[in-house]
Amino acid sequence: VAMQFPVEPGQSYLTTELADALVAAGHEVEVLHLDWSAAHGGPTRTFFTDSGVRVVRCAPRALGGPGLLRNASKFVLSGRHAARVAWRHFDLESFDALIAWMPAIAIAPLLPLIRRARVRHRLLFIWDFFPDHHREIGRMPGGLPFRIARWWEQRAMDRFTAIVCTLPGNEAYLRAHYRVRPEQRVLVTPIWANTWPLPPV
């Protein structure tokens, strides 16, 4: 489940590279792409990538109004819409694993469906800590909105069996500022990319 999954010619992202690598390793991959940058209320499309990944792309939902109301409603309504799309377009009980990215609250309504479908492995990748990062860059106010977002994000994080950080320092930040349940695994893996080593100079 990803909020960025570009498939246009010449474009790739960490999510597309991971999906292609899993297919190359012999796995079947299906993607629910909640296209965060798409126009609100757009249609849902299903297509296959060149590597055979099935992608179901849906647009976000949001209310009009002031920025804070619009942004908050986008998380709430888009997550509910993504859950409905997943229910209609995927055989959830057939999956061995769910891979998603923070912010987890963007797909919070989907997570109870995943647990009821008995998807055994539920991995959450963290690149930026939500809502801490959003507050630091000025996209979210402090005070009550921040505390609500933090509580909601923590509640969604509790539904994952493993949390994956990209740096040892991120693991330390996670453990210092968020609750990690004893049965949750915390893993550290560097950000991957299709790159080649540079020759020595």
Side-chain angles (χ1 to χ4, degrees), residues 65-116:
L68 181 59
L69 173 64
R70 184 175 62 252
N71 292 337
S73 70
K74 186 175 183 179
F75 280 102
V76 176
L77 299 179
S78 297
R80 292 180 61 188
H81 178 59
R84 288 193 295 268
V85 170
W87 179 258
R88 294 171 184 160
H89 291 81
F90 296 93
D91 178 10
L92 297 178
E93 294 184 355
S94 70
F95 285 90
D96 301 307
L98 164 76
I99 301 174
W101 282 263
M102 187 178 263
I105 68 170
I107 59 163
L110 172 61
L111 299 177
L113 299 180
I114 296 297
R115 290 192 68 176
R116 284 200 293 271

XYZ file of all heavy atoms in Angstrom, residues 65-116:
410
model
N -12.700 23.827 2.484
C -12.565 24.647 3.685
C -11.134 25.028 3.974
O -10.246 24.869 3.127
N -10.889 25.531 5.199
C -9.537 25.975 5.577
C -8.521 24.846 5.500
O -8.883 23.659 5.497
C -9.719 26.464 7.017
C -11.180 26.686 7.180
C -11.867 25.742 6.255
N -7.251 25.231 5.458
C -6.187 24.250 5.252
C -6.168 23.122 6.257
O -6.058 21.950 5.887
N -6.287 23.429 7.567
C -6.219 22.386 8.587
C -7.377 21.415 8.446
O -7.184 20.192 8.511
C -6.215 23.011 9.988
C -6.133 22.019 11.150
C -4.864 21.177 11.058
C -6.188 22.767 12.483
N -8.595 21.933 8.219
C -9.757 21.070 8.044
C -9.612 20.212 6.794
O -9.875 19.006 6.823
C -11.032 21.913 7.955
C -12.318 21.144 7.611
C -12.642 20.146 8.712
C -13.475 22.120 7.400
N -9.158 20.813 5.713
C -8.985 20.072 4.462
C -7.932 18.978 4.621
O -8.142 17.838 4.206
C -8.591 21.029 3.340
C -8.483 20.363 1.971
C -8.216 21.365 0.872
N -6.956 22.062 1.064
C -6.844 23.341 1.426
N -7.924 24.062 1.656
N -5.653 23.905 1.578
N -6.807 19.311 5.255
C -5.735 18.324 5.419
C -6.154 17.196 6.347
O -5.870 16.019 6.077
C -4.474 19.007 5.948
C -3.855 19.944 4.933
O -4.080 19.805 3.729
N -3.089 20.915 5.399
N -6.817 17.519 7.445
C -7.260 16.481 8.379
C -8.296 15.576 7.725
O -8.248 14.350 7.871
C -7.818 17.126 9.645
N -9.236 16.176 7.007
C -10.273 15.367 6.363
C -9.686 14.483 5.270
O -10.213 13.398 4.994
C -11.359 16.271 5.774
O -10.874 16.992 4.640
N -8.588 14.910 4.660
C -7.958 14.099 3.622
C -7.469 12.783 4.196
O -7.639 11.723 3.584
C -6.812 14.873 2.975
C -6.192 14.171 1.776
C -5.150 15.060 1.104
C -4.565 14.395 -0.133
N -3.583 15.241 -0.819
N -6.874 12.813 5.387
C -6.422 11.582 6.018
C -7.609 10.684 6.364
O -7.591 9.483 6.115
C -5.605 11.894 7.273
C -4.188 12.287 6.988
C -3.800 13.611 7.018
C -3.237 11.328 6.681
C -2.480 13.975 6.753
C -1.920 11.679 6.413
C -1.546 13.009 6.451
N -8.654 11.269 6.940
C -9.800 10.474 7.381
C -10.553 9.874 6.188
O -10.779 8.660 6.119
C -10.744 11.334 8.237
C -11.991 10.536 8.608
C -10.036 11.830 9.495
N -10.933 10.714 5.252
C -11.778 10.259 4.152
C -11.005 9.411 3.149
O -11.555 8.458 2.589
C -12.417 11.464 3.456
C -13.322 12.325 4.335
C -13.875 13.499 3.543
C -14.454 11.499 4.933
N -9.735 9.727 2.909
C -8.952 8.938 1.960
C -8.717 7.532 2.487
O -8.762 6.556 1.734
C -7.608 9.620 1.675
O -7.807 10.875 1.070
N -8.458 7.413 3.796
C -8.267 6.094 4.382
C -9.511 5.237 4.280
O -9.439 4.043 3.972
N -10.662 5.835 4.532
C -11.926 5.094 4.408
C -12.154 4.661 2.968
O -12.576 3.537 2.707
C -13.088 5.947 4.898
C -13.067 6.215 6.396
C -14.236 7.063 6.821
N -15.503 6.390 6.520
C -16.688 6.971 6.650
N -16.766 8.224 7.078
N -17.789 6.321 6.370
N -11.859 5.550 2.032
C -12.030 5.213 0.616
C -11.068 4.097 0.210
O -11.452 3.153 -0.491
C -11.805 6.450 -0.240
C -11.911 6.204 -1.708
N -13.051 5.713 -2.305
C -10.999 6.360 -2.713
C -12.854 5.588 -3.598
N -11.617 5.964 -3.875
N -9.811 4.166 0.665
C -8.830 3.125 0.343
C -9.269 1.770 0.880
O -9.080 0.736 0.226
C -7.460 3.509 0.901
N -9.858 1.755 2.068
C -10.343 0.497 2.636
C -11.462 -0.091 1.784
O -11.500 -1.312 1.541
C -10.822 0.720 4.071
N -12.363 0.747 1.309
C -13.441 0.255 0.435
C -12.882 -0.285 -0.872
O -13.319 -1.333 -1.373
C -14.455 1.369 0.164
C -15.332 1.720 1.359
C -16.512 2.581 0.944
N -16.078 3.878 0.440
C -15.943 4.961 1.182
N -16.188 4.906 2.486
N -15.562 6.102 0.646
N -11.909 0.418 -1.434
C -11.296 -0.042 -2.688
C -10.599 -1.383 -2.470
O -10.714 -2.302 -3.294
C -10.309 1.021 -3.223
C -9.481 0.464 -4.373
C -11.068 2.265 -3.668
N -9.869 -1.504 -1.372
C -9.178 -2.769 -1.081
C -10.172 -3.907 -0.931
O -9.937 -5.023 -1.416
C -8.340 -2.613 0.186
N -11.278 -3.658 -0.253
C -12.292 -4.693 -0.037
C -12.879 -5.175 -1.365
O -13.146 -6.362 -1.551
C -13.380 -4.136 0.865
C -14.486 -5.103 1.149
C -15.723 -5.142 0.583
C -14.452 -6.186 2.087
N -16.462 -6.171 1.106
C -15.717 -6.821 2.031
C -13.475 -6.663 2.964
C -16.017 -7.934 2.827
C -13.780 -7.757 3.751
C -15.038 -8.384 3.681
N -13.057 -4.252 -2.319
C -13.700 -4.594 -3.588
C -12.733 -5.175 -4.617
O -13.133 -5.960 -5.473
C -14.357 -3.346 -4.187
C -15.516 -2.805 -3.378
C -15.957 -1.452 -3.907
N -17.007 -0.859 -3.091
C -17.312 0.426 -3.078
N -16.638 1.266 -3.856
N -18.275 0.885 -2.304
N -11.452 -4.792 -4.559
C -10.535 -5.131 -5.643
C -9.463 -6.164 -5.288
O -8.709 -6.577 -6.164
C -9.834 -3.863 -6.147
C -10.748 -2.919 -6.873
N -11.584 -2.036 -6.233
C -10.972 -2.729 -8.198
C -12.266 -1.334 -7.123
N -11.910 -1.732 -8.321
N -9.367 -6.570 -4.031
C -8.325 -7.508 -3.636
C -8.925 -8.669 -2.855
O -9.903 -8.498 -2.122
C -7.270 -6.819 -2.755
C -6.493 -5.739 -3.441
C -6.909 -4.422 -3.377
C -5.338 -6.036 -4.148
C -6.198 -3.419 -4.004
C -4.618 -5.046 -4.781
C -5.043 -3.722 -4.710
N -8.323 -9.833 -3.010
C -8.641 -10.987 -2.177
C -7.692 -10.926 -0.983
O -6.620 -11.524 -0.991
C -8.460 -12.280 -2.970
C -8.721 -13.517 -2.134
O -9.224 -13.380 -0.991
O -8.416 -14.627 -2.603
N -8.083 -10.208 0.035
C -7.172 -9.912 1.142
C -6.687 -11.172 1.849
O -5.549 -11.220 2.337
C -7.852 -8.972 2.142
C -8.235 -7.590 1.595
C -8.940 -6.772 2.661
C -7.020 -6.856 1.061
N -7.514 -12.196 1.908
C -7.116 -13.419 2.611
C -6.040 -14.201 1.861
O -5.461 -15.129 2.418
C -8.335 -14.304 2.853
C -9.336 -13.680 3.822
C -10.499 -14.594 4.125
O -10.574 -15.689 3.513
O -11.337 -14.226 4.968
N -5.760 -13.829 0.626
C -4.747 -14.549 -0.152
C -3.333 -14.011 0.087
O -2.369 -14.606 -0.388
C -5.068 -14.455 -1.651
O -4.862 -13.125 -2.132
N -3.203 -12.919 0.835
C -1.895 -12.280 0.985
C -1.117 -12.859 2.157
O -1.671 -13.169 3.205
C -2.060 -10.767 1.180
C -2.405 -10.031 -0.090
C -3.727 -9.850 -0.458
C -1.411 -9.540 -0.914
C -4.055 -9.193 -1.629
C -1.724 -8.881 -2.087
C -3.056 -8.705 -2.446
N 0.187 -12.993 1.961
C 1.102 -13.394 3.030
C 1.619 -12.190 3.806
O 1.969 -12.309 4.985
C 2.308 -14.152 2.454
C 1.890 -15.388 1.698
O 1.163 -16.201 2.273
O 2.292 -15.524 0.534
N 1.707 -11.033 3.135
C 2.323 -9.867 3.776
C 1.692 -8.583 3.261
O 1.248 -8.505 2.111
C 3.830 -9.846 3.520
N 1.667 -7.603 4.138
C 1.306 -6.229 3.802
C 2.535 -5.368 4.046
O 3.174 -5.481 5.089
C 0.158 -5.728 4.680
C -0.041 -4.198 4.695
C -0.704 -3.748 3.407
C -0.859 -3.769 5.902
N 2.866 -4.535 3.079
C 3.953 -3.571 3.240
C 3.350 -2.185 3.042
O 2.695 -1.924 2.028
C 5.079 -3.816 2.220
C 5.653 -5.231 2.380
C 6.181 -2.772 2.377
C 6.666 -5.602 1.312
N 3.577 -1.310 4.018
C 3.032 0.045 3.949
C 4.072 1.021 4.471
O 5.102 0.627 5.013
C 1.735 0.147 4.758
N 3.784 2.302 4.301
C 4.701 3.366 4.695
C 4.005 4.351 5.614
O 2.804 4.593 5.485
C 5.235 4.096 3.452
C 6.309 3.339 2.752
C 7.655 3.526 2.889
C 6.155 2.249 1.838
N 8.339 2.626 2.107
C 7.444 1.822 1.445
C 5.052 1.578 1.318
C 7.667 0.784 0.565
C 5.254 0.533 0.438
C 6.558 0.135 0.070
N 4.774 4.912 6.540
C 4.273 5.976 7.396
C 3.971 7.200 6.525
O 4.738 7.471 5.596
C 5.316 6.304 8.465
C 4.854 7.293 9.526
S 6.100 7.605 10.810
C 5.582 6.501 12.114
N 2.855 7.932 6.765
C 1.991 7.862 7.930
C 0.980 6.719 7.850
O 0.274 6.569 6.850
C 1.283 9.216 7.944
C 1.289 9.671 6.524
C 2.549 9.116 5.917
N 0.913 5.945 8.920
C -0.005 4.810 8.963
C -1.456 5.262 9.040
O -2.353 4.538 8.614
C 0.344 3.920 10.151
N -1.703 6.467 9.569
C -3.099 6.899 9.693
C -3.737 7.126 8.333
O -4.959 7.127 8.227
C -3.240 8.163 10.561
C -2.628 9.399 9.884
C -2.644 7.962 11.923
C -2.960 10.690 10.611
N -2.926 7.272 7.279
C -3.490 7.452 5.947
C -4.248 6.214 5.485
O -5.113 6.307 4.611
C -2.392 7.800 4.943
N -3.912 5.049 6.067
C -4.603 3.818 5.688
C -5.197 3.122 6.916
O -5.491 1.932 6.876
C -3.661 2.851 4.950
C -2.456 2.490 5.830
C -3.225 3.426 3.615
C -1.706 1.261 5.353
N -5.375 3.869 8.009
C -5.846 3.265 9.258
C -7.125 2.455 9.100
O -7.230 1.354 9.662
C -6.011 4.355 10.319
N -8.147 2.904 8.339
C -9.357 2.094 8.214
C -9.134 0.761 7.492
O -9.948 -0.152 7.631
C -10.298 2.994 7.400
C -9.812 4.386 7.667
C -8.316 4.244 7.752
N -8.053 0.649 6.734
C -7.745 -0.604 6.049
C -7.161 -1.649 6.997
O -7.336 -2.856 6.784
C -6.771 -0.327 4.899
C -6.167 -1.514 4.153
C -7.255 -2.350 3.493
C -5.155 -1.035 3.126
N -6.495 -1.225 8.044
C -5.750 -2.145 8.892
C -6.621 -3.174 9.613
O -6.229 -4.343 9.721
C -4.893 -1.357 9.879
C -3.847 -0.444 9.214
C -3.093 0.356 10.255
C -2.887 -1.266 8.354
N -7.812 -2.830 10.113
C -8.659 -3.890 10.684
C -9.050 -4.958 9.668
O -9.148 -6.144 10.019
C -9.887 -3.122 11.187
C -9.401 -1.733 11.416
C -8.376 -1.497 10.343
N -9.250 -4.569 8.405
C -9.561 -5.558 7.366
C -8.389 -6.512 7.163
O -8.582 -7.717 6.964
C -9.889 -4.850 6.045
C -11.082 -3.897 6.026
C -11.248 -3.303 4.629
C -12.352 -4.605 6.454
N -7.172 -5.966 7.206
C -5.980 -6.787 7.024
C -5.842 -7.794 8.166
O -5.504 -8.967 7.949
C -4.728 -5.874 6.941
C -4.812 -4.970 5.700
C -3.452 -6.707 6.913
C -4.811 -5.697 4.383
N -6.119 -7.363 9.374
C -6.025 -8.286 10.506
C -7.103 -9.357 10.435
O -6.841 -10.529 10.713
C -6.131 -7.523 11.831
C -4.916 -6.667 12.122
C -4.896 -6.167 13.540
N -4.678 -7.251 14.498
C -4.553 -7.063 15.802
N -4.646 -5.828 16.304
N -4.351 -8.063 16.614
N -8.325 -8.971 10.057
C -9.393 -9.974 9.945
C -9.099 -10.973 8.839
O -9.525 -12.130 8.899
C -10.742 -9.295 9.706
C -11.330 -8.664 10.949
C -12.817 -8.449 10.821
N -13.148 -7.462 9.814
C -13.247 -6.158 10.059
N -13.018 -5.694 11.284
N -13.573 -5.323 9.100
